[in-house]
């Protein structure tokens, strides 16, 4: 009975995804969501608050599966809807663009209203250059795999093109579709090199700028004096990967020291608390 119900729900999800695709889009309606659809943090939060405070002409809407998140945002006089409610569905199906900071498949998931024509802007939640080459293999989020089986390629034969068109109908509602991003915001060409081939994102989709959460570093005067560089690696939930990361850092310390002396800088290391807890570093 459970499997039958799940199959029925999946068919409904696919039907709604394409039904909402034909909804009229409003260029002034922008939807935002956080990691797993239930958080309020990172780059999407900072951009959402900036838009709310500085661009009243934009209908900025935060969508969440968490009632407390919605209540906290609305208590500040901002617009937020609980996922799959009437207002949330209306905002999502009419939205011209959606902002995510992790994956579309985690941030919006299978929210009703999600559709093929809503444009996606990927802000990414990190503050530095992320190594993206193995991001698909590391991800636990269903649908965050590459989609060469449903995205057309210029080298496809007529048969392959027809096959992909049919596959798109069934699979697109549950895929990240990196190739269809309207924009991928990143801090520099190093990240473009990492992400372009790894995620099949066209180079023309990359937008080089600072992240919303670090805009203060660009808008405020930087005091003169010693340059400070912080290294705060993300915890990977693997003692083996943590050990490899620390070992690589130790091997690079002499080079880091020489570089800091050359630029009169200070290199600050901040490991995640779990890294310190699980290992005995001295």
């Amino acid at each position: 009975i459970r499997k039958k119900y799940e199959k029925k729900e999946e068919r409904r999800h696919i039907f709604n995804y394409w039904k909402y695709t034909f909804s009229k889009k409003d260029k002034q309606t922008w939807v935002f969501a956080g990691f797993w659809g239930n958080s309020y943090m990172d780059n999407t939060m900072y951009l959402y608050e900036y838009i709310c405070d500085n661009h009243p002409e934009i209908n900025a809407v935060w969508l969440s599966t968490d009632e407390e998140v919605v209540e906290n945002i609305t208590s500040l006089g901002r617009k937020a809807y609980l996922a799959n409610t009437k207002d949330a569905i209306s905002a999502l199906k009419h939205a011209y663009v959606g902002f995510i900071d992790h994956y579309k498949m985690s941030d919006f998931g299978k929210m009703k209203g999600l559709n093929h024509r809503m444009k996606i802007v990927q802000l990414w939640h990190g503050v530095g250059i992320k190594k993206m080459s193995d991001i698909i293999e590391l991800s636990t989020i269903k649908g965050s795999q590459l989609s060469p089986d449903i995205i057309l390629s210029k080298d496809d034969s007529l048969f392959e093109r027809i096959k992909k068109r049919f596959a798109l109908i069934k699979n697109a509602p549950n895929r990240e579709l990196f190739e269809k991003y309207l924009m991928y915001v990143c801090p520099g060409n190093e990240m473009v090199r990492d992400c372009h081939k790894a995620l099949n994102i066209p180079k023309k989709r990359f937008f080089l700028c600072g992240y919303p959460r670090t805009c203060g570093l660009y808008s405020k005067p930087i005091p003169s004096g010693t340059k400070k560089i912080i290294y705060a690696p993300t915890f990977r939930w693997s003692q083996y990967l943590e050990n490899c990361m620390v070992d690589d850092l130790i091997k690079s310390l002499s080079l880091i020291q020489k570089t800091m002396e050359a630029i009169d800088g200070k290199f600050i290391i901040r490991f995640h608390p779990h890294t310190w807890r699980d290992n005995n570093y001295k």
Side-chain angles (χ1 to χ4, degrees), residues 3-271:
K3 288 184 177 179
K4 286 184 179 180
Y5 174 77
E6 289 176 348
K7 287 183 178 179
K8 184 178 180 180
E9 285 299 298
E10 182 61 24
R11 288 195 296 268
R12 183 178 299 171
H13 168 59
I14 293 172
F15 174 79
N16 286 335
Y17 177 87
W18 291 109
K19 179 184 73 173
Y20 295 135
T21 295
F22 294 99
S23 299
K24 184 178 180 180
K25 309 306 174 190
D26 177 12
K27 287 191 175 183
Q28 299 301 98
T29 297
W30 296 3
V31 290
F32 300 76
F35 187 29
W36 285 118
N38 58 16
S39 62
Y40 184 61
M41 56 192 292
D42 296 329
N43 284 315
T44 46
M45 179 191 76
Y46 284 94
L47 181 61
Y48 167 74
E49 293 182 350
Y50 174 83
I51 294 298
C52 288
D53 294 340
N54 297 279
H55 291 277
E57 75 278 9
I58 298 295
N59 178 31
V61 180
W62 189 277
L63 302 178
S64 178
T65 59
D66 190 296
E67 291 186 25
E68 186 175 353
V69 168
V70 173
E71 290 174 0
N72 289 340
I73 295 173
T74 54
S75 69
L76 298 174
R78 292 169 177 152
K79 192 175 294 185
Y81 299 135
L82 189 64
N84 300 328
T85 59
K86 183 178 179 180
D87 288 333
I89 295 171
S90 178
L92 194 53
K93 75 178 183 181
H94 292 301
Y96 181 76
V97 61
F99 294 86
I100 57 175
D101 67 7
H102 200 265
Y103 289 113
K104 178 189 72 176
M105 295 310 300
S106 66
D107 297 6
F108 288 119
K110 291 186 177 181
M111 289 186 189
K112 293 178 182 178
L114 188 66
N115 62 87
H116 203 64
R117 279 179 57 219
M118 185 182 75
K119 303 181 187 303
I120 295 294
V121 173
Q122 168 63 268
L123 299 179
W124 201 248
H125 61 281
V127 295
I129 298 169
K130 307 286 286 188
K131 185 177 183 300
M132 306 293 282
S133 59
D134 55 359
I135 194 169
I136 302 301
E137 287 75 10
L138 290 174
S139 176
T140 59
I141 298 169
K142 183 180 179 182
S144 61
Q145 72 263 34
L146 300 181
S147 303
D149 58 324
I150 61 177
I151 297 294
L152 296 180
S153 169
K154 62 180 181 180
D155 298 323
D156 289 340
S157 65
L158 178 60
F159 174 76
E160 289 173 325
R161 288 176 176 270
I162 295 174
K163 183 180 178 181
K164 284 185 177 182
R165 285 302 187 189
F166 280 103
L168 180 76
I169 295 174
K170 179 180 179 180
N171 296 315
N174 301 307
R175 292 288 182 88
E176 186 66 20
L177 301 179
F178 297 100
E179 300 90 338
K180 282 180 59 62
Y181 282 171
L182 171 67
M183 185 183 296
Y184 191 105
V185 174
C186 59
N189 285 311
E190 296 88 348
M191 195 167 181
V192 175
R193 290 193 292 268
D194 271 347
C195 301
H196 165 54
K197 290 185 178 180
L199 302 179
N200 286 353
I201 301 174
K203 286 187 176 180
K204 64 181 179 179
R205 301 299 184 187
F206 287 90
F207 183 70
L208 304 182
C209 67
Y211 286 126
R213 68 188 295 179
T214 58
C215 65
L217 299 176
Y218 299 86
S219 59
K220 298 176 183 177
I222 299 176
S224 60
T226 302
K227 298 179 177 67
K228 295 182 176 65
I229 299 173
I230 186 171
Y231 175 57
T234 302
F235 185 68
R236 296 301 179 188
W237 299 102
S238 165
Q239 187 167 345
Y240 170 74
L241 291 177
E242 293 296 294
N243 288 337
C244 289
M245 179 267 295
V246 174
D247 289 342
D248 287 342
L249 177 62
I250 292 173
K251 293 175 183 177
S252 303
L253 285 178
S254 59
L255 176 60
I256 293 173
Q257 179 65 28
K258 290 179 181 179
T259 304
M260 292 302 103
E261 291 175 357
I263 67 171
D264 187 26
K266 287 186 178 180
F267 188 79
I268 303 165
I269 302 170
R270 184 198 178 279
F271 287 147

